[in-house]
Structure formats: structure tokens, C-alpha cells
Amino acid sequence: MELGIIGLGRMGGNMAERLRLGGHKVVGFDFSAEAVKRLSDSGSTGVSSLEELVKHLAAPRALWLMVPAGKPVDETIAKLKPLLQKGDTIIDGGNSNYQDSQRRYHELKPQGFNFVDVGTSGGVWGLKEGYSMMVGGEDAVVERLYPVLETLAPGKDKGWGHVGAAGSGHFVKMVHNGIEYGLMQAYAEGFTIMQKKQEMGLDLAQIAQIWRYGSVVRSWLLDLTADALGRDPELNGLEPYVEDSGEGRWTVLEAINLNVSAPVITESLLRRIRSREENNFTDRMLAIMRNEFGGHAVKTDKEEAA
């Protein structure tokens, strides 16, 4: 099958390579000339404009977007529409808000274009291991994409699925990432507890390896954690600053709107946000309040420096 990929960053480029190795024709575009050259050097077709991309694909076309969520997706779709024909399909494989995906489907459908949203997980390991994909869209449109989805997935019949109507793919991926926040926070807290028990001299890398096999907490995240601890058990040189992609926030808001209690996901998101505060005003407020009502000691900058 032919597929156009727009956005050849690390994930988009790896997806293009996996498809090429699976026997598909891939045409890719990126604003980075270097990314386009990498694609061409690998054996696929790299182009320097959206117009050229569309010309290289036979109708009905399928174009997979791997661009940042929000305005960039809308801007890319707006540039594509004058170049496309009715029956062509736009696939958003990024981390878009599911409500945006629903809106885009309802805007494109009357104009004769198909829209499919694919929540995609796998990161830098997708080229080797395959991508987990949660697909939203009309049955017939998604069915035509089966060859591509089966090639990108870990296996023809595993790691991906058509989960529902347009928007559902990104909705399920949103919840997936919210769960990921909670899992990561639990691992981080557990290993920190063991790291603080210094009198036992625990080897965290060894423990992570033990837990990888037979344990009820084994997971791919634990596999990655074990690899990282094996390289640097003390995590030297890393700043305690954790970003979020936005999907954890959306999951928390959705839980509130649905009256669902989600304390683990919510707290893990708040911990990420707190990690970015260099001089945490909240903690300083707590310290001074304890000092005011109970005379508890507080540490000053000079004392910390000493």
C-alpha cells in the first residue's frame, strides 16, 4: 500500500522505515531537509513540499500526519485540502485531543475527505518492537488501512485495534497516557524508598532485574528502568524536572467531567508539575506556617549552603 507521511521526526521516520521494510511504498515530507534526506537514503521517497507529496501518491490517497498536536495539525490539514481529491484519507497519528479529532472529522466529512485518528504508542522502540495503535474512524475507511496498521503493529493480530468512531482512538490513547503517569510515579516512589534505605546497601539495578521475571509488577516500563539503572545507578547529572505531553492533564479533566475518582493519575500529574519549581513556594509556605503555629525550625538559604 502507498502512504504519505508528514512529519519525519524520530517517530515518524521510524514508522516510515518499518513500513518500507514491510514492503509498502512510503513518500515523506518534513520541513527539515536533513530528515527528508534520511528518508531518501533509506530507500523511500523524500520530497520537499506537500504538493510534491500528493503528486507521488495515487488516489485514493492516505496521508499520515505526525506533527505536534493543536494548531499545527489544523494548519497542515488546511494546506492539504486544496491538493486532495474526494475520497482521500487524512490520518492523525499524533497526540491530539480527542475533541479536536471529533471536530476535524465532522469538518472534513461534508467536504468529501476521510479522517482517522490513531493514538500511537511505542516511542523510539517502535521500529524494532512495533507500535501499539488505537484507531478511531469509520469502518470502511479504517479497513482500507489494515495493511499499514498490521505492518506498523507488533503483530498482524496484536497491539492494535479499531476501537470506535472518530475521536475514540485519541480518547483511548489519552487514558493510556494517564495510566502511564501513575505507573511511572509508583515505580519512581518505590525505588526512591529503597534508595533511601542506605544501611541495607540495596542494588537498585539488581532489584529491577529480579522484578522483571515472574513478578506481578513486571512491565516494559520496568524493563526500561532496569536498563537505565544498569547504566547509571545513581542517575548522576539528571535534573529532577519532568515534562508532560498534555494527555495526563486531559485525562484528569475528563475524569472530573465524568465524576470519576482518579487520585493516582491526578497526583502523578501534580508531581510532574511540582518538579519544575526550582524554588518551591508551596514548600516554603508550609515551612513558615509550621514555624508560626508550632515554633518548628525552618532552614534558611544560608543554612542550606553551609
Side-chain angles (χ1 to χ4, degrees):
M1 181 176 177
E2 295 185 347
L3 185 74
I5 296 183
I6 301 167
L8 299 172
R10 187 162 53 181
M11 193 164 178
N14 283 347
M15 293 175 75
E17 179 63 7
R18 188 172 175 89
L19 287 168
R20 184 189 71 80
L21 293 172
H24 299 277
K25 175 185 175 181
V26 179
V27 183
F29 165 75
D30 194 282
F31 287 109
S32 167
E34 183 180 345
V36 172
K37 184 177 184 303
R38 281 198 303 269
L39 182 72
S40 297
D41 289 346
S42 72
S44 292
T45 303
V47 297
S48 57
S49 69
L50 293 177
E51 290 82 359
E52 193 176 356
L53 176 78
V54 171
K55 288 179 181 178
H56 273 80
L57 298 170
R61 303 173 184 85
L63 299 104
W64 189 299
L65 276 57
M66 291 299 291
V67 301
K71 190 175 180 181
V73 176
D74 287 320
E75 290 176 341
T76 302
I77 291 174
K79 291 175 182 177
L80 280 173
K81 285 195 296 185
L83 308 174
L84 300 180
Q85 299 177 12
K86 291 184 178 181
D88 288 349
T89 300
I90 294 174
I91 308 152
D92 182 2
N95 284 332
S96 290
N97 187 294
Y98 79 94
Q99 293 173 323
D100 286 336
S101 296
Q102 290 175 324
R103 169 179 58 80
R104 289 166 186 144
Y105 165 79
H106 288 296
E107 289 174 351
L108 290 168
K109 180 67 175 176
Q111 300 172 39
F113 304 120
N114 301 313
F115 180 85
V116 173
D117 56 293
V118 182
T120 309
S121 180
V124 297
W125 295 89
L127 175 58
K128 178 183 176 182
E129 304 289 342
Y131 297 90
S132 174
M133 294 172 292
M134 299 132 265
V135 186
E138 296 180 358
D139 291 347
V141 178
V142 173
E143 187 173 348
R144 194 172 75 85
L145 299 174
Y146 277 15
V148 166
L149 298 169
E150 291 170 349
T151 301
L152 289 173
K156 183 176 180 180
D157 301 320
K158 63 181 181 180
W160 77 277
H162 182 193
V163 298
S168 63
H170 281 148
F171 179 83
V172 174
K173 177 58 162 50
M174 174 192 76
V175 177
H176 164 283
N177 280 27
I179 294 171
E180 177 187 301
Y181 279 35
L183 289 173
M184 292 173 69
Q185 185 68 29
Y187 279 129
E189 291 175 6
F191 278 96
T192 300
I193 292 168
M194 292 187 290
Q195 189 267 344
K196 290 291 184 181
K197 197 69 171 175
Q198 294 182 359
E199 66 266 29
M200 288 190 173
L202 299 175
D203 183 337
L204 300 188
Q206 178 202 30
I207 293 166
Q209 289 292 345
I210 292 170
W211 287 356
R212 289 181 62 200
Y213 304 98
S215 165
V216 294
V217 298
R218 64 187 184 271
S219 72
W220 186 48
L221 275 174
L222 183 61
D223 294 343
L224 299 177
T225 300
D227 290 342
L229 289 172
R231 292 191 303 270
D232 184 0
E234 298 300 322
L235 304 181
N236 293 312
L238 292 179
E239 291 292 328
Y241 186 102
V242 187
E243 281 287 5
D244 70 278
S245 64
E247 291 186 298
R249 300 179 183 223
W250 300 339
T251 305
V252 170
L253 290 173
E254 196 68 31
I256 293 170
N257 290 335
L258 294 171
N259 289 319
V260 173
S261 176
V264 173
I265 294 174
T266 302
E267 178 60 21
S268 63
L269 170 64
L270 295 178
R271 292 299 302 176
R272 290 192 180 200
I273 294 171
R274 186 166 177 168
S275 75
R276 303 164 203 165
E277 300 181 31
E278 290 184 6
N279 192 359
N280 192 290
F281 188 77
T282 304
D283 287 348
R284 286 188 288 145
M285 283 292 299
L286 290 171
I288 200 62
M289 282 187 281
R290 291 183 77 247
N291 177 258
E292 289 295 318
F293 70 69
H296 302 287
V298 295
K299 288 185 178 182
T300 65
D301 291 338
K302 291 182 179 178
E303 289 172 327
E304 289 174 346

